[in-house]
Amino acid sequence: MQTIDLPAPDGAIEAVLARPDGEGPWPGVVIVHDATDFGADVRKHVTMLAEHGYLAIAPNLFSRGKARCMRSVMRALWFTGGRNDAEATPVRDILATRDHLLADPRCTGRTAVVGFCMGGGFALLTAPHGFDAAAPFYPGLYGDFRSLLDGACPIVASYAGLDPSLIGGAAKLRRSLVDLGVPHDIKTYPRVTHGFANTFGAEPLLRVTGLGYNEAATADAWQRIFAFFDQHLTEQPAGD
């Protein structure tokens, strides 16, 4: 894994990049972190995806200062309901990260975006902007999904049944994707809560309260994601 300075429309940002063993080329995956920080958890996911055969990169959306960046995040995901999403700084950063992968000769030209919580919201918000697949975990995005996801790539989404912040979110997403004709795989894990696929510094305390990482749900979610990616990133569609 290496840390790089990645050019973006609003100024360079930090990113971490990992490549599989071998010569490639490989499909590319952009990993978007949650709202807590850009730390060990996101690096773990970058490493894991590289080990599974993907050219993996994670941009630090807080590179320009967390307080300043959070204002852009809240405007894009929560306060404006995704309106003018292509103009949001985090969206431009994510798309610049995807473009960095596409410019790498070791990338096949197919890319996906994975995100957690805040990052899951951005995985949905950027799904109509040139990715081949999107995999949001408990995505924090609010607004009219039918308009936000018009033209979206195939989506594999994972929700938590005990998540008070996204009640009805999975059903809302499913209805919208059915209406739009977008291929999808949406699953809610009934006995887990928001953040079940992430590990945090306070994990021991979270486990005592019944919150935090859930190994079984996480393993099942990634199994679904890799099968979905095999279909949309690896297999050649008819006519290619």
Side-chain angles (χ1 to χ4, degrees):
M1 183 185 300
Q2 64 181 126
T3 300
I4 63 172
D5 289 326
L6 191 148
D10 299 285
I13 59 173
E14 174 191 18
V16 292
L17 172 70
R19 302 180 184 90
D21 292 333
E23 297 299 323
W26 311 282
V29 178
V30 176
I31 302 99
V32 189
H33 59 89
D34 63 18
T36 57
D37 65 3
F38 183 79
D41 186 66
V42 72
R43 289 173 169 82
K44 176 193 74 174
H45 286 114
V46 170
T47 300
M48 184 267 290
L49 281 157
E51 289 173 349
H52 277 80
Y54 298 95
L55 187 62
I57 189 169
N60 182 358
L61 299 186
F62 299 153
S63 291
R64 303 179 190 94
K66 186 171 183 178
R68 173 187 173 189
C69 293
M70 279 303 295
R71 289 193 293 271
S72 296
V73 166
M74 289 187 287
R75 284 196 299 270
L77 295 181
W78 304 318
F79 293 161
T80 65
R83 293 188 299 274
N84 301 319
D85 53 295
E87 300 175 10
T89 295
V91 170
R92 291 196 294 265
D93 288 342
I94 293 165
L95 297 181
T97 306
R98 190 268 318 280
D99 291 346
H100 181 85
L101 289 179
L102 292 175
D104 191 323
R106 291 163 294 195
C107 180
T108 62
R110 295 185 185 275
T111 58
V113 58
V114 175
F116 304 87
C117 182
M118 175 194 85
F122 281 117
L124 287 180
L125 202 56
T126 56
H129 294 288
F131 284 102
D132 297 291
F137 284 84
Y138 24 89
L141 177 64
Y142 304 92
D144 179 4
F145 280 9
R146 287 180 180 83
S147 62
L148 295 176
L149 298 175
D150 189 17
C153 61
I155 293 172
V156 50
S158 302
Y159 285 84
L162 301 180
D163 185 349
S165 68
L166 292 172
I167 295 173
K172 176 183 176 182
L173 178 61
R174 182 179 291 107
R175 287 194 302 269
S176 299
L177 297 181
V178 168
D179 289 347
L180 292 168
V182 175
H184 59 276
D185 172 0
I186 301 171
K187 183 171 182 177
T188 298
Y189 294 90
R191 290 178 293 278
V192 300
T193 190
H194 192 94
F196 72 81
N198 299 106
T199 53
F200 305 102
E203 191 68 26
L205 176 61
L206 291 172
R207 285 181 180 276
V208 170
T209 62
L211 305 177
Y213 181 76
N214 184 282
E215 183 176 3
T218 300
D220 185 80
W222 280 111
Q223 183 179 43
R224 291 171 42 243
I225 289 168
F226 288 133
F228 202 81
F229 283 4
D230 282 348
Q231 180 181 359
H232 296 286
L233 299 184
T234 305
E235 295 177 3
Q236 291 291 102
D240 269 24

